[in-house]
Amino acid sequence: MSNLKDRTFGVEIECFLNSDKERFVRNFMNQTENERNGQTINYNPNRYGSWSRTAWTLGYDTSLHSSSATNPIELTSNPIKFSDLGKVKSVIDELNTVGASVNKSCGLHVHIDASDLTLKEVKNVLVSYLIYEEVIAFTQPESRRWNQRYCRSSRNVSANAIDLAFNSATTNDLIKKIKKAKSIKKLYDATQGYNDKFTKINLKGLISLTDRNARPLDKTGTIEFRQSAGTTDWEKISNWISFCYMLVETSRFANSGRCSQINL
């Protein structure tokens, strides 16, 4: 498919640095630009959920907890073109150099630019993820498969009823709600489950674009994928970013009407 768009993505890496935060940034920036693959990290220890358009941001994350690992962080990239995905490896390599680690409290969040998508194309993304949610779940460890606290299913069901939710009736009911939505806001309301942020696919960055009261940091124009477990493994990270990118990009060519006829 030669007419794919070179979309930008952003990634949030949650991990335990197990090293001095400021020294980590300083050591990375002391490398040559070639060694850093042109990547830059800003040290912002007092900010959570912040990001920059021009550099990575190292901040804190209070949702991470461990009895042994130290210095929980959230390392958030600036928007990067998908064709430049390989440049991210320099940051991952530095994390592994200092012995960064993850546990079940850590996640890997990927944002894919969707600001140019039509309502129908956004619906295609949601329907595709919904139909294959059970398959996607088994690409993740058990702690991130179903209704983990910070990445719940779009199906508005309790954790102990999630197995029953994977039947055609429940899936088709939600697909009908998706197809009936007349705006991104209505689509957001139909698929955000119990929480307006902590779902496997989060549209908050899209609806914030037209919300006059939204914080500038929320106006990302992206679809956020929150299901991946935390990792500092480059192969896992690059594969998950690629999967999320293709899910969004191929939505321009998908037929959600045909997908909704699948008998699960």
Side-chain angles (χ1 to χ4, degrees), residues 17 19-30 41 43-45 58 71 73:
L17 192 59
S19 176
D20 182 82
K21 300 175 186 178
E22 191 170 9
R23 186 184 304 127
F24 169 84
V25 174
R26 185 170 60 248
N27 288 346
F28 181 80
M29 294 305 299
N30 281 340
I41 302 176
Y43 180 49
N44 200 346
L58 190 152
N71 286 336
I73 66 164

Side-chain angles (χ1 to χ4, degrees), residues 45-68:
N46 300 318
R47 293 296 300 274
Y48 165 72
S50 64
W51 61 281
S52 164
R53 294 196 178 277
T54 59
W56 290 70
T57 302
L58 190 152
Y60 72 90
D61 192 327
T62 57
S63 69
L64 309 184
H65 50 84
S66 172
S67 60
S68 57

Side-chain angles (χ1 to χ4, degrees), residues 205-221:
L206 281 179
I207 66 167
S208 295
L209 284 177
T210 55
D211 183 354
R212 290 180 296 178
N213 298 318
R215 300 182 310 157
L217 285 174
D218 290 334
K219 296 178 179 290
T220 61

Side-chain angles (χ1 to χ4, degrees), residues 35-225:
E35 289 172 327
R36 291 186 279 111
N37 268 331
Q39 302 304 289
T40 301
I41 302 176
N42 292 332
Y43 180 49
N44 200 346
N46 300 318
R47 293 296 300 274
Y48 165 72
S50 64
W51 61 281
S52 164
R53 294 196 178 277
T54 59
W56 290 70
T57 302
L58 190 152
Y60 72 90
D61 192 327
T62 57
S63 69
L64 309 184
H65 50 84
S66 172
S67 60
S68 57
T70 60
N71 286 336
I73 66 164
E74 181 177 78
L75 189 57
T76 305
S77 77
N78 54 290
I80 300 171
K81 287 187 176 181
F82 183 70
S83 59
D84 289 330
L85 172 61
K87 293 184 176 182
V88 175
K89 188 174 184 296
S90 61
V91 177
I92 307 304
D93 286 345
E94 188 66 18
L95 286 173
N96 289 317
T97 295
V98 299
S101 62
V102 299
N103 62 17
K104 291 181 180 180
S105 68
C106 301
L108 175 74
H109 304 158
V110 172
H111 291 255
I112 305 294
D113 175 43
S115 57
D116 65 316
L117 295 188
T118 66
L119 177 62
K120 179 181 178 181
E121 289 165 351
V122 176
K123 290 179 180 181
N124 287 344
V125 176
L126 295 175
V127 169
S128 295
Y129 205 98
L130 182 65
I131 288 175
Y132 295 107
E133 184 175 3
E134 194 168 15
V135 176
I136 295 169
F138 282 99
T139 69
Q140 299 298 321
E142 187 173 358
S143 61
R144 305 288 291 194
R145 287 177 184 169
W146 312 124
N147 264 340
Q148 196 266 359
R149 179 180 178 185
Y150 295 111
C151 58
R152 293 186 176 275
S153 173
S154 294
R155 296 168 170 87
N156 199 356
V157 295
S158 62
N160 60 5
I162 193 68
D163 287 340
L164 297 177
F166 288 106
N167 60 64
S168 59
T170 303
T171 300
N172 287 336
D173 285 346
L174 186 49
I175 288 175
K176 289 176 182 178
K177 290 181 181 179
I178 291 171
K179 294 178 71 174
K180 287 179 180 179
K182 301 299 183 183
S183 67
I184 291 293
K185 180 61 169 64
K186 294 292 185 182
L187 191 57
Y188 176 81
D189 292 340
T191 59
Q192 291 311 108
Y194 284 122
N195 191 286
D196 69 346
K197 178 181 178 181
F198 300 135
T199 46
K200 294 174 182 177
I201 299 185
N202 178 19
L203 302 182
K204 194 170 185 178
L206 281 179
I207 66 167
S208 295
L209 284 177
T210 55
D211 183 354
R212 290 180 296 178
N213 298 318
R215 300 182 310 157
L217 285 174
D218 290 334
K219 296 178 179 290
T220 61
T222 63
I223 297 176
E224 181 186 18
F225 297 84

